[in-house]
């Protein structure tokens, strides 16, 4: 399977058959059943495609295939209702759009899983409140570990929560939260996430140097065992679940201050008339870095950017308040259903 990574250069990930089988046979995070109907909403090149096809093939279920190759919200809603889809797996960005634009779609589902990006606290909370019988899962894992490495069943979201936990490792897989010397960090302390176990890939095809850099010896396993350095930061919670913090390279520096855009996004989504947002650093003139917030208002409402600025300023330090606010009808998505940062105006 191919992943573009942070550079945009495609990387071929070579995974053994056992990585696929062990992710969808044995672990029971989806409560795999023969009467389940899955919707194939992910592109073939994305690891999430495996869940939508092999979960059905391995357990006697069915997979509904869309007609087109592009993500179409109306087609997704129509297939879910018309074909009796019971399990729906979505990227976090696509999940958010469907919660906003097609809320009735979730009524007939048994399970919905969001993954691929950090889950939106407000959107997950809305689904849990409106559909108490629905199993809402938040998944995490890179393609180098056959995608799904941890899973969290979300029954409710605590008011004021900053994130949705990504849960615990699936059976046969391991996750380590380590410091710069590959030592486990205490509960509550941030560290880099490393994954190991039955889902691990062999490496990158034709790129031995990159394979050696990211697939390293595992000090917690037997001779020859390896683990994958994800480049993500996380921490263990007191209840035993993992919390995703951010990409290790997501922290930005603006005017000498270190800033995490997700903190600003969390503050923005607490505004009652903002349903989605994305915060990025733009450098349209060399050396002039500025925070820009792209916001999607509640349908039918108008946002006063100065009022939004005051709202954010009341929750965050001045240096974290974006220099500009850009209202959009919707955030642009890639073919994988993730936020397309390059397409932001």
């Amino acid at each position: 399977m191919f992943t573009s990574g942070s550079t945009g250069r495609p990387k071929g990930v070579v995974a053994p058959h056992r990585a696929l089988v062990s992710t969808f046979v044995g672990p029971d995070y989806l409560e795999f059943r023969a009467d389940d109907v899955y919707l194939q909403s992910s592109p073939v090149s994305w690891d999430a495609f495996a869940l939508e096809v092999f979960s059905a093939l391995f357990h006697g279920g069915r997979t509904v295939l869309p007609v087109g190759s592009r993500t179409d919200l109306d087609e997704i809603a129509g297939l879910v209702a018309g074909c009796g889809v019971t399990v729906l797996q979505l990227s976090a960005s696509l999940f958010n759009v469907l919660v906003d634009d097609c809320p009735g779609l979730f009524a007939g589902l048994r399970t919905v899983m969001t993954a691929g990006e950090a889950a939106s606290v407000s959107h997950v909370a809305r689904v849990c409140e409106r559909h108490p019988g629905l199993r809402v899962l938040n998944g995490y894992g890179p393609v180098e570990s056959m995608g799904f490495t941890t899973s969290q069943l979300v029954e409710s979201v605590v008011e004021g929560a900053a994130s949705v936990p990504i849960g615990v490792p699936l059976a046969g897989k391991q996750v380590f939260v380590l410091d710069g010397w590959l030592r486990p960090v205490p509960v509550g302390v941030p560290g880099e996430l490393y994954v190991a176990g039955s889902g691990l890939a062999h490496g990158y095809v034709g790129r031995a140097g990159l394979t050696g850099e990211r697939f390293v010896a595992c000090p917690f396993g037997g001779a020859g065992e390896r683990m994958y350095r994800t480049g993500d930061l996380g921490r263990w919670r007191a209840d035993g679940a993992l919390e995703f913090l951010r990409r290790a390279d997501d922290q930005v520096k603006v005017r000498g201050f270190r800033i995490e855009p997700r903190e600003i996004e969390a503050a923005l989504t607490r505004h009652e008339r903002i349903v989605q947002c994305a915060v990025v650093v733009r450098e349209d003139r060399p050396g002039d870095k500025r925070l820009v917030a792209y916001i999607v208002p509640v349908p039918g409402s108008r946002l006063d950017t100065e009022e939004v600025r005051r709202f954010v300023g009341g929750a965050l330090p001045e240096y974290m308040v974006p220099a500009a606010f850009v209202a959009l009808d919707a955030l642009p998505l890639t073919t994988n259903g993730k936020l397309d940062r390059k397409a932001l105006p």
Side-chain angles (χ1 to χ4, degrees):
M1 293 180 174
F2 282 84
T3 176
S4 62
S6 58
T7 64
R9 178 185 174 189
K11 298 179 293 187
V13 179
V14 183
H17 288 173
R18 66 176 175 273
L20 187 71
V21 175
S22 66
T23 302
F24 304 113
V25 176
D28 204 25
Y29 52 103
L30 279 181
E31 294 186 350
F32 300 100
R33 298 185 343 191
D35 60 348
D36 271 328
V37 181
Y38 299 80
L39 176 64
Q40 185 261 299
S41 61
S42 304
V44 176
S45 61
W46 193 25
D47 52 329
F49 173 84
L51 179 142
E52 297 161 348
V53 173
F54 288 99
S55 295
L57 292 178
F58 289 166
H59 299 279
R62 286 187 293 146
T63 293
V64 177
L65 307 178
V67 175
S69 59
R70 297 183 61 84
T71 301
D72 185 292
L73 299 185
D74 291 334
E75 183 181 24
I76 290 176
L79 290 174
V80 167
C83 299
V85 172
T86 61
V87 180
L88 187 60
Q89 185 279 141
L90 302 162
S91 69
S93 291
L94 185 54
F95 176 87
N96 297 345
V97 172
L98 289 173
V99 172
D100 293 331
D101 296 351
C102 308
L105 169 148
F106 298 90
L109 297 175
R110 185 177 70 83
T111 301
V112 63
M113 186 174 197
T114 176
E117 301 168 287
S120 164
V121 173
S122 60
H123 288 84
V124 172
R126 235 182 297 168
V127 170
C128 289
E129 291 167 3
R130 294 174 180 173
H131 307 283
L134 176 64
R135 298 181 73 250
V136 181
L137 300 178
N138 187 28
Y140 164 82
V143 62
E144 290 85 353
S145 184
M146 196 45 69
F148 300 95
T149 305
T150 72
S151 177
Q152 173 80 15
L153 177 61
V154 186
E155 297 178 332
S156 62
V157 177
V158 178
E159 186 175 353
S163 66
V164 180
I166 57 176
V168 297
L170 308 185
K173 299 191 178 188
Q174 296 94 45
V175 177
F176 308 106
V177 184
L178 308 178
D179 63 17
W181 292 270
L182 300 185
R183 299 176 304 191
V185 298
V187 171
V189 176
E192 187 167 356
L193 301 182
Y194 288 75
V195 298
S198 57
L200 210 63
H202 289 315
Y204 302 109
V205 62
R207 302 184 70 176
L210 185 59
T211 297
E213 175 188 334
R214 303 309 293 259
F215 292 84
V216 298
C218 180
F220 314 104
E225 290 191 32
R226 301 176 307 150
M227 59 184 183
Y228 174 71
R229 180 182 182 184
T230 67
D232 293 330
L233 298 182
R235 61 187 168 202
W236 292 109
R237 303 193 336 166
D239 61 4
L242 269 172
E243 181 181 12
F244 174 84
L245 297 177
R246 58 179 173 84
R247 288 287 300 170
D249 55 4
D250 270 357
Q251 192 178 70
V252 296
K253 198 170 186 179
V254 179
R255 303 195 305 276
F257 293 100
R258 294 195 178 278
I259 296 170
E260 295 184 14
R262 282 195 64 212
E263 290 187 22
I264 306 173
E265 293 171 354
L268 281 166
T269 53
R270 295 191 192 104
H271 193 288
E272 61 181 8
R273 294 198 304 281
I274 295 177
V275 292
Q276 294 183 58
C277 67
V279 176
V280 302
V281 174
R282 297 193 64 91
E283 191 173 358
D284 297 322
R285 290 183 297 178
D288 184 18
K289 293 183 178 180
R290 300 188 181 203
L291 288 167
V292 178
Y294 297 90
I295 50 181
V296 178
V298 171
S301 68
R302 293 181 62 85
L303 282 173
D304 180 342
T305 56
E306 287 306 311
E307 187 272 328
V308 174
R309 187 187 304 277
R310 289 192 297 272
F311 176 83
V312 177
L316 299 172
E318 183 276 332
Y319 67 85
M320 295 181 69
V321 177
F325 296 85
V326 181
L328 301 176
D329 292 333
L331 295 178
L333 303 180
T334 67
T335 55
N336 286 357
K338 295 185 178 184
L339 175 66
D340 187 352
R341 294 183 179 274
K342 294 182 180 178
L344 291 169

